[in-house]
Amino acid sequence: QQQVKQSPQSLIVQKGGISIINCAYENTAFDYFPWYQQFPGKGPALLIAIRPDVSEKKEGRFTISFNKSAKQFSLHIMDSQPGDSATYFCAASMGKRNEKLTFGTGTRLTIIP
Amino acid sequence: GAGVSQSPRYKVAKRGQDVALRCDPISGHVSLFWYQQALGQGPEFLTYFQNEAQLDKSGLPSDRFFAERPEGSVSTLKIQRTQQEDSAVYLCASSPTGVLSYTFGSGTRLTVV
């Protein structure tokens, strides 16, 4: 059972544009939602994370928008750069009750000049 | 070391062979996780340790998979009688107490032929 659904599977954005990746979850016990960035041959690296008590969190060019009632959250990358080309994974966990992460299937992002 | 170290980086095993994958977490990190990442997919949880105690092994796919962390630092994931479907990248991650965002290693790519 896939508890975190991610879309799109791949995304091509022009340099300077906004990249948007969406995720939806089913388990209402999830209360921690991180996004990870993964380059080929490397492990995932934490990008930004949000708890459900806020609707938005911004760190530099990266913003998470969170809609608790719709059970959806998204990652926005502003002013996308070629160095942002990577695979992005959303994830969810039950926080301190259970720290294991349930990952989405990933989005391969390509930023073109 | 500064990060989570995994060895070997690559492992080719003949079907039926036993393999052992090693994880050196960041020094002092209490929590340690193992994930399996199939090609083009998100990581999937295998097992979780807090110090030497294995608190959750619900993700281990069969009794051929076994993990240990006898002294609460280095961990080993052992796969007995490897099968082709075991081919994947095995990721290890660690975190300090009470921190939900953990650091991943670069993984071990296992290919079963």
Side-chain angles (χ1 to χ4, degrees), chain A residues 88-108:
Chain A
Y88 292 80
F89 294 96
C90 60
S93 80
M94 289 188 275
K96 288 184 170 53
R97 283 177 291 165
N98 189 330
E99 297 180 25
K100 72 182 181 188
L101 289 171
T102 299
F103 283 85
T105 49
T107 296
R108 179 174 285 188

Side-chain angles (χ1 to χ4, degrees), chain A residues 9 31-32 34 36 38 41-46 49 51 89 93-106, chain B residues 9 31 33 35 37 40-45 48 50 56 58 91 95-96 98-107:
Chain A
Q9 194 172 358
D31 68 357
Y32 174 72
Y36 281 82
Q38 186 174 32
K42 300 292 187 184
L46 178 69
R51 305 297 294 268
F89 294 96
S93 80
M94 289 188 275
K96 288 184 170 53
R97 283 177 291 165
N98 189 330
E99 297 180 25
K100 72 182 181 188
L101 289 171
T102 299
F103 283 85
T105 49
Chain B
R9 286 283 282 124
S31 298
F33 303 81
Y35 285 79
Q37 186 173 24
Q41 299 296 313
E44 292 199 0
F45 172 80
Y48 160 51
Q50 197 169 81
D56 187 343
S58 62
L91 294 164
S95 73
V99 173
L100 298 177
S101 56
Y102 33 84
T103 303
F104 280 90
S106 293

Side-chain angles (χ1 to χ4, degrees), chain A residues 40-84:
Chain A
K42 300 292 187 184
L46 178 69
L47 205 55
I48 187 173
I50 198 167
R51 305 297 294 268
D53 51 350
V54 297
S55 59
E56 186 174 281
K57 183 173 181 180
K58 184 175 180 178
E59 288 183 3
R61 297 185 294 110
F62 301 94
T63 300
I64 300 180
S65 297
F66 188 85
N67 185 330
K68 188 173 180 179
S69 61
K71 294 189 285 186
Q72 294 175 347
F73 58 111
S74 60
L75 175 70
H76 295 234
I77 306 174
M78 313 300 284
D79 187 26
S80 300
Q81 298 297 312
D84 297 331

